Amino acid sequence: MANSTEAQKPQNTKKNKKKGATLDTFYGAKIQNTEQIEEDIQENAPKSSKGNRNSPQTHEEFESEMTKKMEALWEEKWEIMQKKFTHLQNQFDQTVKENQALKQELIKQSQNTKKLEENIKYLTDKVIDLENRGRRENLRIIGLPEKPEINTKLDMVIQDIIKENCPEILEQGGNTATDRAHRTPSTLNPQKTTPRNVIAKFQSYQTKEKILQEARKRQFRYKGMPIRVTQDLASSTLNDRKAWNMIFRKARELGLQPRISYPAKLTIYFQGKVWAFNKIEDFQLFAKKRPELCGKFDTENQRARNT
């Protein structure tokens, strides 16, 4: 009977479970599952029986042993947390150092960029100045009709302009000969109705200056048609001078005797003094402080027309 009873006794499913199975992880470390710990407690817990005072392990001893196991388990977890935190802290410190290095590099690159911009501006101004100096013997003639009989003999046309407008230069024996004269741009744009400018390079700088001085005094003409004679300059300098057009015309109407000096400086005669301005903003501030000029120069409209 004892044998049959044991045969009918259900199998212990807990013993079929693999002890020490690792189902949970904590920051990369494998920890025993809580269910496994509970199973160990149930299996190893002392069985109480009446009158049995000689059990191999008391309940207090069992609790103490389990407490030590749990403390060891949490100490292991705590050590893993500490290692992980230390690793993250090291990564953070390294990132801070890299950011500081990048910040210093950015500051250095900004300084280098500023120096490059200053050098570019210096070189650009230098090139423009050299180009302007290379055009010192040139005059620009504006408004000369675009006709084949004019374009094919520009040198002779220029001599005719000198005879018509300032014959005294010829009478004084001035050298009015030109090295070359040409239209600019070289290709005619059929959609443009205004004639192309003519650039004339004189052999004598002094003669060129005398013609320019006469052109500043009065309106030049070619066979009765009005034309303009100005100093030939680099395109960027011409644009800078063009920005003064509205102010120049208004200053002339007010009797301020305006002049544009090299490269693009405006000078006026006001209250017995000669005033010079390199920028429109400087002139605008000057005009606002003088009741006689305040409100008479609409620089905003001038800027809108130039853009």
Side-chain angles (χ1 to χ4, degrees), residues 2-17:
N3 292 334
S4 61
T5 305
E6 291 178 358
Q8 296 175 0
K9 193 174 182 181
Q11 295 180 352
N12 190 348
T13 57
K14 293 181 180 180
K15 291 182 179 180
N16 293 333
K17 290 185 179 180

Side-chain angles (χ1 to χ4, degrees), residues 44-62:
N44 298 325
K47 306 299 187 294
S48 59
S49 58
K50 289 184 179 181
N52 185 6
R53 298 177 180 272
N54 298 320
S55 59
Q57 187 179 30
T58 63
H59 188 73
E60 289 78 7
E61 292 173 345
F62 174 75

Side-chain angles (χ1 to χ4, degrees), residues 89-137:
Q89 184 66 42
N90 292 337
Q91 286 185 331
F92 176 77
D93 294 341
Q94 182 65 25
T95 303
V96 171
K97 290 180 181 178
E98 291 176 356
N99 287 340
Q100 290 176 348
L102 289 173
K103 184 177 180 180
Q104 293 297 325
E105 184 66 21
L106 180 61
I107 294 173
K108 184 178 178 181
Q109 292 297 330
S110 299
Q111 293 173 347
N112 292 337
T113 301
K114 185 177 180 181
K115 290 181 180 178
L116 287 174
E117 290 175 349
E118 292 174 353
N119 290 337
I120 290 173
K121 185 180 183 306
Y122 170 78
L123 293 174
T124 302
D125 294 342
K126 192 71 174 177
V127 169
I128 293 173
D129 182 66
L130 289 173
E131 183 178 355
N132 287 330
R133 292 181 184 277
R135 296 170 180 253
R136 293 180 69 222
E137 291 81 18

